Amino acid sequence: MIGVVVLGSTGSVGENTLDVLARNPDRFRLVALGANRSVAKLAQQIRQWRPAYAALADVNAARELQQLLGNSVPETRLLAGADALSEIAALPEADSVMAAIVGAAGLRSTLAAARAGKRLLLANKESLVMSGPLLMDAVRVGGATLLPIDSEHNAIFQCLPPQARVGEAPPGVRRVLLTASGGPFREASRDALAAVTPEAACAHPNWVMVRKISVDSATLMNKGLELIEACFLFGLRPEQVEIVVHPQSIVHSLVEYTDGSLLAQLGSPDMRTPIAHALGWPDRIASGVEFLDLIRTGRLDFQAPDSDRFRCLALAQAAARAGGLQPVVLNAANEVAVQAFLERRLNFLEIAAVIEAVITKTTGAGAIGSLDDVLAADGEARRLAHERLNGHHAARGQAPRGVHA
Ligand code: NDP
């Protein structure tokens, strides 16, 4: 039995992971669950799975959980605080750790799993974007096995030669093609883009996602972050990662070899496929995903992205080329700008303008030496982004308000 820890169990990737585990009860044993403050959902998961440990980062929520459960699940030990997540990520009884906490909050526990030499199932892309060199070092030093969960990176991993090693340039590979659905505004004009609402940006045509990731998908920043992720995971230069818009989200990505072969991974757009692939690797296990009917699918389209209308992609490509702390700055400025867009304080096109202004102010951000460098650059970029937002409203002579109202 493979012992599994699910960090971020109450989120979308976490719940999909539990769904795949439930389909393979003779293979996996759930050791621990971890989340932030979703008390009711975690309580329900604890009652169903009865793991040895469960942790909430938020101490007050953990107290509430303790009261809610009382002594009803005596086999589960409850832990509280952000450090508890790192603790369960390194448990000796855990073989595989699903890192599915969203955002920078997932950094420490992901690093802890890598240092402890676990099989690390990496959904938390922020830990690669923000601290790629540190995470890849921790994987090497800790002897961990890193398996990508993001559907595109999992697809690339599936198309690589068996002797490829994560973090090293794969033999015989010329480049990879990262597919992008193009989001809901693929065909929209610049004027139309300036007027889109958060509701429209969050209505993704193929994937069900949380609001921040939906906006990233609509601006193509998500693809830019994935490009950075791909460079670290597969030892590629940014020029070796081509973004291809593929509206049907059936081809999840492709690998091009020096002999002219192009290998692709196809499947229904459902996160349970990459999750099942990484959980079972190198075996194949049931995922519950609907099998693909190519005849019903009919056609697969591909086109180039328009980086004039979708500036965020060009900014991410530039940050990938600059390296060091630039991806940290990009990610932090983007988070602030997207939040402002969701709060109707910024229009859709202004997201890229805020990020660009922050990057311009921090050009020359140095190399990554430690997690402290990362957190300092992240904090500075957030401060500059807020400053820029406040200046933006002052220039308009208005208090922050709903620009789309
Ligand atoms: P969700 O927002 O659905 O879930 C986030 C999870 O993280 C929840 O369990 C949440 O706990 C937990 N969490 C949030 N903040 C903290 C914190 N401060 N400390 C501890 N735990 C915290 O996100 P997703 O499942 O969609 O995404 C998870 C990761 O996977 C992200 O990095 C995302 O980019 C990546 N990803 C997601 C994909 C998708 O299809 N959803 C596809 C590919 C990658 P609580 O409920 O208690 O707040």
Side-chain angles (χ1 to χ4, degrees):
M1 294 289 268
I2 298 167
V4 180
V5 171
V6 183
L7 301 171
S9 65
T10 53
S12 160
V13 172
E15 289 194 299
N16 276 314
T17 305
L18 296 179
D19 182 274
V20 175
L21 293 178
R23 291 168 195 276
N24 297 276
D26 49 348
R27 208 177 174 100
F28 302 106
R29 180 172 43 90
L30 186 71
V31 174
L33 294 165
N36 187 26
R37 56 162 77 111
S38 293
V39 173
K41 205 181 264 186
L42 190 66
Q44 177 258 315
Q45 292 178 345
I46 293 170
R47 289 195 187 100
Q48 180 184 347
W49 288 89
R50 302 187 168 260
Y53 301 87
L56 279 179
D58 185 300
V59 177
N60 292 328
R63 215 170 285 133
E64 221 181 290
L65 178 69
Q66 175 78 71
Q67 278 165 5
L68 185 67
L69 288 174
N71 288 326
S72 61
V73 193
E75 52 274 70
T76 302
R77 204 179 131 206
L78 296 183
L79 305 172
D83 288 347
L85 295 167
S86 301
E87 204 179 310
I88 61 171
L91 285 168
E93 51 274 57
D95 305 295
S96 294
V97 175
M98 168 59 77
I101 289 174
V102 67
L107 270 179
R108 286 184 198 277
S109 51
T110 303
L111 282 167
R115 289 192 189 112
K118 304 299 182 192
R119 176 188 283 215
L120 176 57
L121 281 47
L122 186 68
N124 175 256
K125 66 183 74 175
E126 296 83 356
S127 48
L128 268 180
V129 171
M130 294 178 68
S131 60
L134 298 179
L135 181 58
M136 298 314 288
D137 266 3
V139 166
R140 268 186 291 271
V141 173
T145 304
L146 181 52
L147 295 167
I149 294 295
D150 225 344
S151 58
E152 293 78 0
H153 305 79
N154 183 270
I156 292 167
F157 183 81
Q158 292 197 43
C159 297
L160 288 178
Q163 70 270 34
R165 300 169 78 90
V166 166
E168 292 174 18
V173 170
R174 184 166 171 264
R175 56 183 190 145
V176 304
L177 281 68
L178 209 58
T179 53
S181 71
F185 312 127
R186 194 166 38 91
E187 311 282 1
S189 66
R190 274 189 74 84
D191 286 350
L193 285 178
V196 301
T197 61
E199 289 70 30
C202 291
H204 194 279
N206 305 332
W207 297 91
V208 179
M209 293 179 294
V210 290
R211 283 162 69 79
K212 191 274 178 180
I213 303 171
S214 297
V215 177
D216 284 350
S217 189
T219 60
L220 294 198
M221 177 57 92
N222 190 45
K223 215 43 60 180
L225 297 177
E226 287 178 7
L227 180 148
I228 296 169
E229 202 185 348
C231 291
F232 285 120
L233 278 173
F234 306 117
L236 298 166
R237 287 173 280 112
E239 312 80 74
Q240 287 179 287
V241 184
E242 182 175 348
I243 310 296
V244 178
V245 174
H246 165 50
Q248 292 91 354
S249 298
I250 295 290
V251 177
H252 297 306
S253 278
L254 310 92
V255 175
E256 186 177 70
Y257 285 86
T258 42
D259 63 4
S261 300
L262 196 55
L263 301 194
Q265 188 261 350
L266 285 72
S268 300
D270 187 323
M271 283 307 291
R272 289 176 300 172
T273 292
I275 291 168
H277 170 265
L279 277 169
W281 184 82
D283 297 340
R284 298 279 177 170
I285 61 171
S287 68
V289 171
E290 190 185 341
F291 291 103
L292 190 61
D293 181 341
L294 274 184
I295 293 178
R296 209 177 68 202
T297 304
R299 57 184 281 179
L300 301 172
D301 297 299
F302 302 95
Q303 61 194 73
D306 179 347
S307 44
D308 283 339
R309 277 182 306 136
F310 296 99
R311 287 279 306 140
C312 285
L313 180 58
L315 292 172
Q317 283 167 324
R321 283 193 297 272
L325 288 161
Q326 283 290 313
V328 180
V329 172
L330 174 95
N331 180 62
N334 178 57
E335 283 190 18
V336 175
V338 169
Q339 188 58 37
F341 167 71
L342 287 171
E343 292 166 4
R344 299 171 195 275
R345 292 191 291 135
L346 210 59
N347 84 31
F348 188 77
L349 291 174
E350 289 164 345
I351 295 174
V354 169
I355 300 166
E356 193 159 17
V358 174
I359 288 179
T360 307
K361 284 207 167 174
T362 54
T363 303
I368 296 180
S370 69
L371 199 53
D372 287 344
D373 296 342
V374 171
L375 298 177
D378 177 85
E380 173 70 357
R382 282 172 202 273
R383 189 185 64 71
L384 289 169
H386 284 296
E387 216 173 84
R388 162 83 194 198
L389 279 171
N390 294 338
H392 172 82
H393 295 300
R396 286 184 175 189
Q398 63 192 30
R401 66 168 179 91
V403 289
H404 316 287

